[in-house]
């Protein structure tokens, strides 16, 4: 885990605590958008990257975030963002996330038919979208493991329980 410490001399503010998974996610995402490997991305790429990470940001907000993190573009030049500035911005965004809201969004991704439950059809679709070749028995076992009310489907309360268990490991 990173504690509140400076990440490189270019970072103006201290970076809030990010866990190893978050750091890896941010590094991999940043590297994908820094396709020319210059060590910086432009504001449009930053906006698209932040949206890909689940943050609904507008151009005006992105400009303000970059200005606040790197006034006058001292780090990489006006309109460009290096990884340290990106980390500075994203650590703030991660800390603003509401875990309850995030779980609701994740549930909605599974519950594409808006039934309020995740059943076998939903599980098949998710497995297919993720490229997982799971048998009906394996998918049913996943449902059965967390189906606390034994109705054959996962409701939002059960899903929240699953997610809280995975973050406490």
């Amino acid at each position: 885990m990173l504690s509140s410490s400076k990440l490189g001399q270019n970072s103006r503010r201290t970076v809030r605590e990010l866990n190893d998974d978050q750091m890896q996610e941010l590094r991999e995402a940043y590297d994908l958008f820094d396709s020319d490997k210059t060590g910086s991305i432009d504001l449009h790429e930053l906006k698209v990257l932040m949206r890909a990470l689940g943050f609904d940001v507008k151009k005006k907000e992105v400009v303000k975030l970059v200005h606040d993190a790197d006034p006058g573009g001292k780090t990489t030049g006006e309109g460009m963002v290096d990884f340290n500035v990106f980390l500075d911005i994203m650590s703030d965004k991660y800390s603003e996330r509401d875990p309850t809201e995030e779980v609701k969004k994740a549930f909605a991704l599974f519950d594409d038919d808006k039934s309020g439950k995740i059943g076998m059809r939903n599980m098949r679709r998710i497995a297919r979208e993720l490229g997982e070749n799971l048998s009906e028995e394996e998918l049913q076992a996943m449902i059965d493991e967390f189906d606390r009310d034994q109705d054959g489907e996962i409701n939002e309360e059960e899903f929240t329980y699953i997610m809280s268990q995975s973050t406490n490991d």
Side-chain angles (χ1 to χ4, degrees):
M1 277 226 194
L2 277 180
S3 59
S4 295
S5 63
K6 294 243 182 206
L7 287 179
Q9 63 250 91
N10 294 335
S11 187
R12 183 179 68 80
R13 300 179 300 166
T14 55
V15 174
R16 296 189 200 298
E17 196 166 296
L18 292 170
N19 66 37
D20 292 339
D21 290 339
Q22 291 169 326
M23 284 291 293
Q24 182 177 347
E25 176 185 39
L26 292 174
R27 177 87 257 177
E28 289 173 1
Y30 185 88
D31 288 347
L32 279 173
F33 280 80
D34 181 19
S35 57
D36 55 2
K37 305 301 177 222
T38 61
S40 62
I41 59 176
D42 65 30
L43 296 180
H44 175 73
E45 290 168 322
L46 176 60
K47 181 180 104 175
V48 175
L49 173 52
M50 290 178 74
R51 286 176 171 240
L53 290 169
F55 296 95
D56 187 25
V57 292
K58 306 277 189 255
K59 181 180 178 183
K60 191 175 183 177
E61 181 183 359
V62 171
V63 170
K64 182 180 179 343
L65 288 167
V66 171
H67 176 74
D68 290 349
D70 185 26
K74 293 179 187 133
T75 303
T76 51
E78 194 67 43
M80 299 302 289
V81 178
D82 72 3
F83 184 67
N84 287 330
V85 172
F86 173 68
L87 269 183
D88 197 13
I89 291 167
M90 294 310 298
S91 64
D92 285 347
K93 290 305 244 179
Y94 272 61
S95 71
E96 293 168 5
R97 278 185 164 168
D98 176 2
T100 304
E101 193 56 38
E102 294 297 312
V103 170
K104 286 180 189 241
K105 286 180 187 175
F107 182 80
L109 291 173
F110 280 82
D111 181 26
D112 64 326
D113 57 5
K114 311 258 188 283
S115 67
K117 301 204 176 219
I118 300 168
M120 182 57 76
R121 192 187 72 67
N122 304 101
M123 292 296 284
R124 267 192 235 108
R125 179 187 57 81
I126 291 293
R128 188 175 55 251
E129 287 176 5
L130 294 174
E132 295 291 331
N133 189 16
L134 299 171
S135 69
E136 293 282 318
E137 293 79 23
E138 289 171 309
L139 293 172
Q140 190 61 55
M142 286 181 192
I143 291 172
D144 292 345
E145 183 176 352
F146 296 104
D147 181 18
R148 300 168 99 188
D149 64 7
Q150 301 296 302
D151 68 349
E153 298 178 301
I154 304 292
N155 62 36
E156 192 169 345
E157 182 181 320
E158 292 163 336
F159 186 81
T160 300
Y161 175 77
I162 295 166
M163 298 306 287
S164 70
Q165 295 306 300
S166 68
T167 58
N168 292 331
D169 290 341

